[in-house]
Amino acid sequence: MSVDVYLNFNGNCREAVTYYAQVFGTQEPRLMSFGDAPPNPGYELPEEAKSLIMHSRLSIFGSNVMFSDVFPGMPFVLGNNISLAIVVDDLDALQSAFDKLREGGNVGMELQETFWSKRYGSLTDKFGVQWQFNFGTGEW
């Protein structure tokens, strides 16, 4: 189990993650753009989103730091562009933490299956801390 940092950017994620990789001497980052995601027949991806980074990850001094651009039209507030990501292989522990943190908070996405995870969800807790929940570490 780990708690990872997740940083969001406003269209300059590719530049930021490449910069941090150089600063910390990590491996060259793998970059998944929104355009790389499997197509959704019920939703056409806006052209301006296709080249934006959906996900990248660096290992910095043994800690996972994950990166993403915000999706066009989603709010971006400099200084509030960080969340904590729970990454765990125990589905019961994941569900329990999600259920407890949702009390008094605001669920952004219910725990559900996605193309990258058997369970993923997000919420902001009653203290305003943003959390992401991911079952399994996956390839990304």
Side-chain angles (χ1 to χ4, degrees):
M1 178 188 283
S2 67
V3 177
D4 300 333
V5 177
Y6 208 110
L7 301 172
N8 292 101
F9 295 87
N10 197 21
N12 60 342
C13 181
R14 184 181 309 272
E15 176 186 1
V17 75
T18 301
Y19 171 75
Y20 292 127
Q22 292 171 346
V23 166
F24 295 107
T26 70
Q27 292 181 350
E28 186 173 329
R30 292 176 45 197
L31 303 168
M32 175 190 285
S33 71
F34 286 102
D36 293 332
N40 178 345
Y43 177 76
E44 186 173 333
L45 191 65
E47 195 61 40
E48 67 269 22
K50 291 180 180 177
S51 66
L52 294 176
I53 301 303
M54 180 178 172
H55 181 74
S56 188
R57 178 176 60 195
L58 297 176
S59 178
I60 300 175
F61 299 128
S63 295
N64 283 322
V65 180
M66 296 182 282
F67 303 82
S68 178
D69 279 313
V70 294
F71 197 79
M74 298 296 289
F76 176 83
V77 179
L78 192 59
N80 289 342
N81 55 324
I82 186 169
S83 60
L84 298 176
I86 302 293
V87 181
V88 63
D89 287 326
D90 181 337
L91 189 54
D92 291 334
L94 185 80
Q95 187 70 57
S96 176
F98 187 89
D99 291 342
K100 289 174 183 173
L101 286 172
R102 78 181 303 151
E103 293 176 19
N106 182 29
V107 174
M109 182 176 177
E110 291 288 345
L111 282 175
Q112 59 190 273
E113 188 169 345
T114 64
F115 73 87
W116 68 87
S117 177
K118 296 247 185 244
R119 288 284 188 283
Y120 173 83
S122 64
L123 61 79
T124 302
D125 72 18
K126 65 182 179 180
F127 298 105
V129 176
Q130 297 177 52
W131 296 87
Q132 296 183 55
F133 297 81
N134 199 63
F135 177 66
T137 55
E139 187 178 323
W140 281 90

